[in-house]
Amino acid sequence: MLKKSSEAHFWGNKWNTKHGVRMLFKGMLDLVKPVNRTSIVVHEWNQTDVRKKRLPNASNLHQLSTERPNLSFSGCKLAHAVVKADYLDRRSLIMPGVGFLLQACSVIDFGKKPIELKPGAAKALNDFSLSSMAGRVGQGLAILYGHSLGLKFAAHLRSHVESLPTGSTGAAHKNTAMADFLFASNQKTVLIESKGSFTLRKNNPSPIKAVLKSALQQQIDPWMSHLQPTPSNGYVIYSCLRDGASEPSAIFVVDPEGDDDESSDLPLDVEQVMRENYAAWLRAMGMTDSAERLLHPLLNVISEVEYEFLIAEIGGRKFAFLAHPHDCFAYYGWCNARIGLDFSVLQAISSVIQSRDKPLRELLANLQDLSDFGETVFSVFPDGSILGMVDKYLVDYEQLLL
C-alpha cells in the first residue's frame, strides 16, 4: 500500500479535477461496464480479386474472401487503441481521445457479440461526426488487428514524414497520399491503412472491393517502394460497424507482400518505429519534453527531468503512472482512469535518452507480452502501455530520469 502521507496527498489532489474531465471518465466507465469481451467478424480478401477491374456477375463475399477467427477485444481495449492512434498523430494534440470516450457508448453497443451500433446511431450523428467517429474506430480496430498479427509497435506515417527536414529525400513525399501506420515487431515492419464505416449495412462485394482497391493503390503500393527497409506486408483494414439488423459488424482485410526495392529513399526502421511508438505514449502521460528527447536525441539540448511515478503491481509486472495532480486520465466518483507504462520499458527509455548510442530495440528485445489479463477495467498492450482503472494495484513510488 502507499504510505499514509503520500496517500493523503494523492487522494487530495484528485478533487482538483474539472467537470469536463469527470465527463471524460464517465465515458470511460461506460466503456468498461460490459463484463464480457466483444468481437468483430474478419474477412480476408485475395488481393488478385481486389485488384480486378470488375468482379464477376453474381459474386458473393464467401467466393472472394476467407473468414478468419473473430478479432476479440474489450471496450477498454478499443478505447486504449483509439487514444494511442490519436497520440501517434503529432499534428493535432487538442485533447485526443476525449471525443471518442464521450460519444462511443452512446453510439456503440459493447455488450453485444459481435459488436454493434446502437439502433439509430448512424442517423443520430451528423455527417462530419459520423465519418470522424467511424474513422477513429477504424484506426483503433486496425491497431488491435496489428497486435493480433504479433506487431507490438506503431508509428504514424504522415507525422514522421512531415517532421523530416525540408530538402531531405523523404520530405519530397509530404504531399502524397500515404498509409496511416507503419507497425513493427523486433524483426520486420508492416504498413497498415485503416478505413471505417457506419453506413455499409450489407456485405455487397463491389463497394467493399472499391474501398480496398483504392486504398491499396493510393496509400499502400507507393509506400511499399518508398520505405527502407521495405515493409514485409501492406494491409488495408476496412472496419464496418452495423446495428445488427442485417449483417454482423465486420472487418475486411487485404494484405499484399512487399518486395525488396533498391530505389527506396525514406529510411524508417524498427528502431525509429519503436521510438515513435513510445514518444506518443510519453505525450499521453504528460511528458512531452521527454518524448522529444526520445525522438530527437542528437538535436535535443534540454536536460533530462527527474519524474516521480506511482507504481502498480499487476500480473507480476510493475507499471508506472506519473505522480502528478493531472496524471489521471479522468476522475468520476471514487474511481480513477490512468495512463501508464511498464516500468521496465520506462527504464529502457531512460537509458536511451541518457546514452544516445544505446538502441531501444536491443534493450526491449525480450519484452514479455502480458496484454491479455482477462480484465475489462484496464487494458495492457503488447508494448507495455496501460490504460484504465488501476488504483487498487498501487503499491509504491519510484523516481526516474527522462
Side-chain angles (χ1 to χ4, degrees):
M1 296 294 293
L2 297 174
K3 294 178 182 177
K4 238 177 205 181
S5 59
S6 298
E7 190 174 17
H9 173 73
F10 166 63
W11 289 107
N13 280 329
K14 298 187 331 184
W15 295 100
N16 296 324
T17 315
K18 295 181 180 178
H19 174 71
V21 185
R22 292 193 187 101
M23 288 292 293
L24 171 57
F25 189 73
K26 184 179 186 304
M28 186 70 193
L29 273 179
D30 290 339
L31 278 175
V32 304
K33 275 178 184 175
V35 175
N36 298 321
R37 293 165 69 89
T38 185
S39 65
I40 190 165
V41 177
V42 178
H43 296 277
E44 184 176 337
W45 280 60
N46 187 317
Q47 69 157 316
T48 304
D49 291 320
V50 171
R51 293 186 187 277
K52 286 178 179 176
K53 185 174 182 180
R54 186 179 290 106
L55 293 174
N57 292 336
S59 295
N60 64 63
L61 184 66
H62 297 292
Q63 294 171 327
L64 302 167
S65 67
T66 302
E67 189 166 339
R68 300 298 185 190
N70 288 6
L71 180 66
S72 177
F73 55 93
S74 65
C76 197
K77 284 275 187 201
L78 183 56
H80 190 166
V82 171
V83 171
K84 180 173 180 176
D86 284 351
Y87 276 97
L88 283 169
D89 187 348
R90 285 181 267 162
R91 298 169 302 163
S92 177
L93 288 180
I94 302 174
M95 296 188 79
V98 172
F100 175 78
L101 291 176
L102 288 176
Q103 283 187 306
C105 284
S106 63
V107 174
I108 301 171
D109 191 340
F110 292 92
K112 293 290 182 67
K113 192 172 184 177
I115 194 170
E116 291 182 3
L117 293 177
K118 292 185 176 179
K123 294 179 181 178
L125 297 172
N126 62 39
D127 290 344
F128 176 78
S129 297
L130 185 69
S131 59
S132 175
M133 176 161 276
R136 296 175 76 195
V137 169
Q139 287 191 332
L141 288 171
I143 286 177
L144 296 179
Y145 191 82
H147 293 169
S148 75
L149 299 173
L151 304 169
K152 295 181 180 180
F153 315 107
H156 188 264
L157 188 55
R158 185 170 293 281
S159 291
H160 175 74
V161 173
E162 291 187 357
S163 72
L164 298 173
T166 303
S168 64
T169 52
H173 303 297
K174 285 183 180 180
N175 296 321
T176 62
M178 62 186 77
D180 287 322
F181 306 111
L182 184 67
F183 277 75
S185 65
N186 288 334
Q187 306 298 328
K188 64 181 181 180
T189 59
V190 172
L191 274 174
I192 291 184
E193 166 62 14
S194 69
K195 299 293 182 184
S197 172
F198 288 173
T199 57
L200 186 70
R201 296 176 60 83
K202 294 186 178 181
N203 290 334
N204 185 339
S206 292
I208 296 170
K209 170 190 172 293
V211 171
L212 295 176
K213 182 178 181 180
S214 174
L216 201 58
Q217 292 181 334
Q218 296 178 31
Q219 292 161 287
I220 294 294
D221 289 347
W223 288 89
M224 296 293 276
S225 59
H226 290 333
L227 294 172
Q228 185 59 245
T230 303
S232 61
N233 293 81
Y235 288 79
V236 179
I237 300 173
Y238 183 26
S239 303
C240 299
L241 266 60
R242 294 148 174 171
D243 62 11
S246 51
E247 303 281 357
S249 298
I251 289 176
F252 305 98
V253 179
V254 61
D255 63 322
E257 294 183 358
D259 297 315
D260 289 337
D261 190 337
E262 294 182 1
S263 66
S264 301
D265 58 1
L266 201 164
L268 187 51
D269 59 11
V270 170
E271 176 71 17
Q272 185 61 32
V273 172
M274 292 178 70
R275 287 175 181 255
E276 297 269 354
N277 179 89
Y278 286 117
W281 207 246
L282 290 178
R283 286 193 294 273
M285 292 175 69
M287 295 180 286
T288 303
D289 288 344
S290 299
E292 289 303 305
R293 284 189 281 276
L294 178 62
L295 275 179
H296 308 292
L298 299 179
L299 301 178
N300 222 301
V301 293
I302 304 172
S303 298
E304 298 88 351
V305 174
E306 185 175 77
Y307 290 98
E308 185 176 47
F309 295 94
L310 291 159
I311 301 297
E313 288 190 3
I314 305 173
R317 272 166 70 172
K318 290 184 176 181
F319 293 89
F321 306 85
L322 198 60
H324 186 276
H326 303 291
D327 66 338
C328 314
F329 201 6
Y331 170 73
Y332 184 74
W334 53 271
C335 300
N336 275 301
R338 300 184 177 280
I339 295 177
L341 193 56
D342 185 302
F343 190 58
S344 67
V345 173
L346 268 180
Q347 289 174 313
I349 292 171
S350 176
S351 294
V352 300
I353 286 176
Q354 294 178 70
S355 178
R356 294 169 183 173
D357 58 344
K358 287 186 178 180
L360 195 58
R361 181 178 178 180
E362 287 185 12
L363 293 177
L364 296 179
N366 298 315
L367 178 64
Q368 187 181 3
D369 180 2
L370 289 180
S371 58
D372 192 3
F373 280 101
E375 283 273 2
T376 59
V377 296
F378 65 83
S379 163
V380 178
F381 274 1
D383 64 356
S385 61
I386 182 170
L387 178 150
M389 295 184 286
V390 297
D391 278 7
K392 69 178 181 179
Y393 302 100
L394 296 173
V395 294
D396 206 355
Y397 285 92
E398 294 275 4
Q399 285 78 37
L400 203 58
L401 207 60
L402 288 162

